[in-house]
């Protein structure tokens, strides 16, 4: 079967395009913006901070009127980041260096996600942030709502112990509002959309001996227009579907192929999937049409240093691994415990319902996920659970569709709209072998 689909725009780039435009010096038109729950949360927060934003769902574009780094206004109410960890963490960095106080909160899932990773380095820069201290899932941390007292920040040397693009971006924005220079280092390079997009806004962040250098005297200049390519994390669900479906070939058009996001492509290729890039465009955020062909799958070992480049794709890789010959070991996946749900538990729970053995190996220094493949699945009793997590819902939907089981076997399917509102229509088209474009 053969079909050609378009996937939604990149979520990470869409958040950044909105936020950088808001603090630039003029009008920016964002083309092909992602219209999904998380990015609408970012747009809502910026609008509550006095930024004029007009959204056109029909043309998938936005016009944002930037007011400069210190042009945001004091919000009249509590800011609400919804389900979006990216909105909350990045905005906390930006709000720390403003001249007004603010409070930012999120939904029940976001209130359970750790914020100390972003608060601790910001405190080192002179920020004043208070949150809810609690022990959740055995981990002591600080959680939303966060009260941020606007402060004069100072550049510092920040060493992060997590490879997180959200934390990096929060520090970059705080650094741009701080006095002097900020130096930032992370254990493994996280996705670099911030570094790439800031170039369009006239800011070249240098790298010096492993440090990212942020100069507080720099201002963002409007580039006039920003284009957002398709999201490889959304494409990954259909790359996974094609990989596990015999005699299937799928073309996914205009997908971002930023090297810091290509872990899923590298892993699927090692598993035996044939993937080619066509019609490559070499802009700062490169993109291409991706062609995926099914084939015999073999188990692989995914090393911890690969995780940042495929962090959101572990659920769909685990589904593909269940079809592969042998035992797939995905190492160093501790971060998956604190995503929109505990994704390790969610995967073991759902794949376990099909009789697939999944082990979560808690070691001294890291946690590994082990999937015993073989492609034998029993009919699941009871319903699968999405745990209100978009990426778990879509990964399980791919598995159900491949096994010819009804989608109704999965609960709470609406959560897919957090990143991919058109997912269900696209899945239907792909299973029928027809094209899908929106
Ligand atoms: C994101 C970074 C990743 C990713 C998330 C989006 C971003 O999170 O999981 O979906 O846009 O910066 P971490 O930075 O916590 O790894």
């Amino acid at each position: 079967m053969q079909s050609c689909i378009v996937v939604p725009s990149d979520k990470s780039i869409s958040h950044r395009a909105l936020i950088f435009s808001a603090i630039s010096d003029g009008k920016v038109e964002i083309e092909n913006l992602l219209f999904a729950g998380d990015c609408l949360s970012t747009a809502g927060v910026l609008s509550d901070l006095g930024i004029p934003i007009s959204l056109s769902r029909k043309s998938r574009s936005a016009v944002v009127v930037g007011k400069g780094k210190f042009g945001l206004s004091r919000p009249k109410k509590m800011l609400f980041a919804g389900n979006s960890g990216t909105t909350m963490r990045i905005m906390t960095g930006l709000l720390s260096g403003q001249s007004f106080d603010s409070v930012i909160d999120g939904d029940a899932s976001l209130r359970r996600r750790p914020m100390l990773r972003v608060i601790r380095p910001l405190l080192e820069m002179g920020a004043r942030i208070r949150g809810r201290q609690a022990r959740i899932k055995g981990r002591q941390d600080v959680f939303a709502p966060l009260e941020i007292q606007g402060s004069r920040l100072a550049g510092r040397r920040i060493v992060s112990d997590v490879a997180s693009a959200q934390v990096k971006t929060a520090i970059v924005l705080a650094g741009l509002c701080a006095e002097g220079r900020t130096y930032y280092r992370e254990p493994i390079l996280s996705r670099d959309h911030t570094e790439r997009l800031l170039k369009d806004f006239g800011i070249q962040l240098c790298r010096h001996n492993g440090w990212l250098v942020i100069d507080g005297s720099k201002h963002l200049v409007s580039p006039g227009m920003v284009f957002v390519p398709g999201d490889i994390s959304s494409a990954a669900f259909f790359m996974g579907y094609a990989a596990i479906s015999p005699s299937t070939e799928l073309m996914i058009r205009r997908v971002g192929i930023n090297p810091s996001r290509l872990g899923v492509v590298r892993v699927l290729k090692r598993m035996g999937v044939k993937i080619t890039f066509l019609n490559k465009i070499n802009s700062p955020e490169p993109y291409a049409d991706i062609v995926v062909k099914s084939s015999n799958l073999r188990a692989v070992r995914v090393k911890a240093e690969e995780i940042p480049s495929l962090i959101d794709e572990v659920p769909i890789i685990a589904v593909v691994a269940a079809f592969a010959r042998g035992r797939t070991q995905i190492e160093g996946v501790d971060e998956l415990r604190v995503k929109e749900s505990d994704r390790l538990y969610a995967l073991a729970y759902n794949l376990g319902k099909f009789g697939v053995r999944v082990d979560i190996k808690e070691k001294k220094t890291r946690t590994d996920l082990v999937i015993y493949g073989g492609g034998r699945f029993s009919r699941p009793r009871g319903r699968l659970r999405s745990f209100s997590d978009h990426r778990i819902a879509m990964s399980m939907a791919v598995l159900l569709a491949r096994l010819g089981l009804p989608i109704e076997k999965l609960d709470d399917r609406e959560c897919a709209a957090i990143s991919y509102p058109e997912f269900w229509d696209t899945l239907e088209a792909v299973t029928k072998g027809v094209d899908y474009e929106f």
Side-chain angles (χ1 to χ4, degrees), residues 122-174:
L122 289 170
L123 295 182
E124 283 177 43
M125 297 173 72
R128 284 173 294 171
I129 305 168
R130 280 208 329 220
R132 195 167 42 89
Q133 309 253 3
R135 200 172 178 79
I136 296 186
K137 292 185 217 142
R139 292 161 199 243
Q140 184 69 33
D141 212 291
V142 179
F143 300 90
L146 303 180
E147 284 174 29
I148 304 160
Q149 267 180 274
S151 310
R152 193 81 195 104
L153 304 179
R156 290 278 181 270
R157 269 179 200 271
I158 306 290
V159 180
S160 173
D161 50 10
V162 278
S164 161
Q166 295 172 353
V167 175
K168 173 170 63 184
T169 307
I171 302 308
V172 166
L173 291 181

Side-chain angles (χ1 to χ4, degrees), residues 11-12 16 86 89 117 163-166 191 311-312 339:
K11 184 156 84 68
S12 291
R16 287 159 175 78
T86 308
R89 295 200 180 112
R117 54 184 57 201
S164 161
Q166 295 172 353
R191 60 186 69 186
I311 183 80
D312 293 335
K339 289 293 178 187

Side-chain angles (χ1 to χ4, degrees), residues 1-9 230-253 255 264-265 268 273-276 289-295 297 312-313 315-317 319-320 323 390-402 407 416-417 419-438:
M1 233 184 308
Q2 203 171 9
S3 39
C4 174
I5 60 168
V6 172
V7 292
S9 311
D231 197 326
I232 185 125
S233 297
S234 298
F237 298 110
F238 293 103
M239 290 164 67
Y241 179 83
I244 60 179
S245 306
S247 320
T248 297
E249 181 174 329
L250 188 64
M251 178 188 266
I252 314 171
R253 304 209 50 217
V255 183
V264 63
V265 172
L268 289 180
V273 185
K274 294 182 193 74
I275 303 177
T276 38
D289 297 337
I290 302 184
V291 180
V292 190
K293 280 188 203 164
S294 57
S295 67
L297 298 170
D312 293 335
E313 288 71 72
I316 189 65
I317 290 173
V319 168
V320 176
F323 286 83
H390 54 140
R391 301 204 198 277
I392 293 297
M394 292 187 275
S395 301
M396 289 310 127
V398 164
L399 177 56
L400 287 169
R402 161 65 178 82
I407 261 1
S419 60
Y420 200 156
E422 305 80 7
F423 175 78
W424 302 103
D425 291 342
T426 314
L427 183 64
E428 200 186 331
V430 168
T431 53
K432 289 182 178 152
V434 296
D435 295 352
Y436 187 85
E437 185 142 359
F438 53 85

Side-chain angles (χ1 to χ4, degrees), residues 10 30 83 95 113-114 144 159 168 205 228 230 241 350-351 360 378 380 388 405 407:
D10 190 278
I30 307 172
N83 191 246
L95 291 166
R113 297 184 65 187
V159 180
K168 173 170 63 184
L205 298 174
V228 185
Y241 179 83
N350 285 315
L351 289 173
I360 300 168
S378 48
S388 302
L405 294 169
I407 261 1

Side-chain angles (χ1 to χ4, degrees), residues 23 47 74 188 208 215 421 432:
I23 57 168
S47 164
R74 180 189 301 270
I188 305 172
H208 190 67
D215 182 344
K432 289 182 178 152

